[in-house]
Amino acid sequence: MAAYDESRAEDDGPIVRLTGLNKHFGSLHVLQDIDLSVYAGEVVVVIGASGSGKSTLIRCINGLEEFQQGRIEVDGNELLPNGASRAALHHIRREVGMVFQQFNLFPHRRVRENVTLAPRKVRGWSQDKARETADTLLERVGIADQADKYPGQLSGGQQQRVAIARALAMQPRLMLFDEPTSALDPEMIGEVLDVMRKLAREGMTMVVVTHEMGFAREVADRAIYIHEGRIVEQGRPEAVFDNPQQERTQAFLSRVLKH
């Protein structure tokens, strides 16, 4: 694997540290010996073919998938193999925001309610504080005028922006994005990517699984290519995209960049 060798001087260490991570689905070895650290303010973009383990990787980070070997540390809390760490999992779920391919909004609740629910229930915020925060975030993602509508009344791009606002409402230290534009019509992809670009500029720590190569090249501090459950190559996006060192990376990019 081509090493990512930029020196890091953060006194507090990484927000995320994966060491020797292995994940199996039955006999299928989905993640193999993954070592990865993510630092505050860093935008890490994960690329690779469908089925390479990208989504499983970030689902392991916030405990949505159990793993069988290795270590996962998030914000100073360690997840243990086979789910044996409930206290750490509770903390991580509070501090890590996740945006999925599907929007997963509550269809029977208005947009503002979708954003206020978790801060009220999990963080114990008052209705007024949660509402004020929700309105600020909906303005931030460009849909303040949709606050009183139901999700079904919005476009796919608008619903995904609500999902981003909902995740941000918990004031996470880390945001995970699992192919957030893959379920959108082409004309709606840009509006979601614009919100993510803004978050990156504002210094949000982000791990993004995406097929949007132009976005990855533009926004990432680091690009990671995964093939068959292994990190094959990582580095600055200009290095990975313009001068990949590994044959598998070269082959993958030659295919996807043609389209």
Side-chain angles (χ1 to χ4, degrees):
M1 186 191 81
Y4 177 71
D5 58 4
E6 179 175 342
S7 61
R8 286 285 176 182
E10 286 83 350
D11 293 332
D12 296 334
I15 289 181
V16 177
R17 179 184 282 124
L18 311 181
T19 307
L21 178 65
N22 284 267
K23 164 69 180 175
H24 300 262
F25 287 120
S27 61
L28 184 61
H29 200 170
V30 182
L31 297 175
Q32 303 184 47
D33 300 320
I34 298 289
D35 294 323
L36 174 65
S37 294
V38 180
Y39 292 84
E42 190 177 21
V43 178
V44 175
V45 171
V46 184
I47 62 173
S50 296
S52 60
K54 307 183 305 296
S55 294
T56 302
L57 175 65
I58 63 169
R59 289 174 65 87
C60 284
I61 291 174
N62 76 339
L64 288 174
E65 293 286 355
E66 295 182 359
F67 60 99
Q68 284 71 51
Q69 292 174 293
R71 297 179 63 189
I72 298 178
E73 295 176 79
V74 182
D75 196 27
N77 293 267
E78 182 175 358
L79 291 176
L80 301 176
N82 301 309
S85 46
R86 292 189 180 277
L89 181 60
H90 177 71
H91 178 87
I92 288 168
R93 293 274 175 82
R94 285 169 55 100
E95 303 302 330
V96 177
M98 180 106 178
V99 178
F100 300 87
Q101 297 176 33
Q102 302 297 330
F103 321 123
N104 294 335
L105 301 175
F106 294 111
H108 61 290
R109 294 182 181 272
R110 298 180 191 272
V111 165
R112 185 184 287 110
E113 292 177 279
N114 268 277
V115 179
T116 61
L117 186 62
R120 290 175 55 214
K121 298 294 186 181
V122 178
R123 294 206 180 274
W125 288 5
S126 68
Q127 175 70 30
D128 288 345
K129 180 178 179 179
R131 182 187 176 98
E132 180 180 353
T133 300
D135 288 348
T136 298
L137 289 171
L138 292 172
E139 178 71 34
R140 187 175 172 186
V141 300
I143 50 172
D145 57 339
Q146 308 296 321
D148 293 319
K149 293 184 178 179
Y150 290 96
Q153 297 175 285
L154 306 184
S155 69
Q158 289 173 325
Q159 290 187 61
Q160 193 61 295
R161 284 187 278 167
V162 175
I164 294 172
R166 179 181 59 183
L168 291 172
M170 287 291 288
Q171 299 181 338
R173 294 200 65 205
L174 169 71
M175 286 283 286
L176 306 175
F177 293 86
D178 184 10
E179 298 189 26
T181 61
S182 64
L184 301 178
D185 293 332
E187 64 270 19
M188 298 176 185
I189 290 174
E191 62 191 53
V192 174
L193 293 181
D194 284 344
V195 172
M196 295 171 65
R197 288 187 184 97
K198 183 178 180 182
L199 290 176
R201 289 194 300 268
E202 292 171 351
M204 174 62 72
T205 309
M206 299 162 60
V207 180
V208 183
V209 171
T210 184
H211 290 293
E212 300 294 332
M213 296 300 151
F215 170 82
R217 183 195 293 263
E218 173 191 353
V219 173
D221 296 300
R222 186 171 16 142
I224 293 176
Y225 170 60
I226 291 185
H227 176 74
E228 295 182 350
R230 294 184 181 273
I231 295 179
V232 173
E233 188 158 359
Q234 62 177 310
R236 288 289 185 185
E238 58 269 22
V240 172
F241 285 98
D242 297 336
N243 189 30
Q245 300 300 300
Q246 305 299 310
E247 290 185 6
R248 286 171 175 168
T249 317
Q250 295 166 7
F252 171 75
L253 291 173
S254 69
R255 292 194 305 271
V256 300
L257 296 179
K258 285 179 180 178
H259 301 288

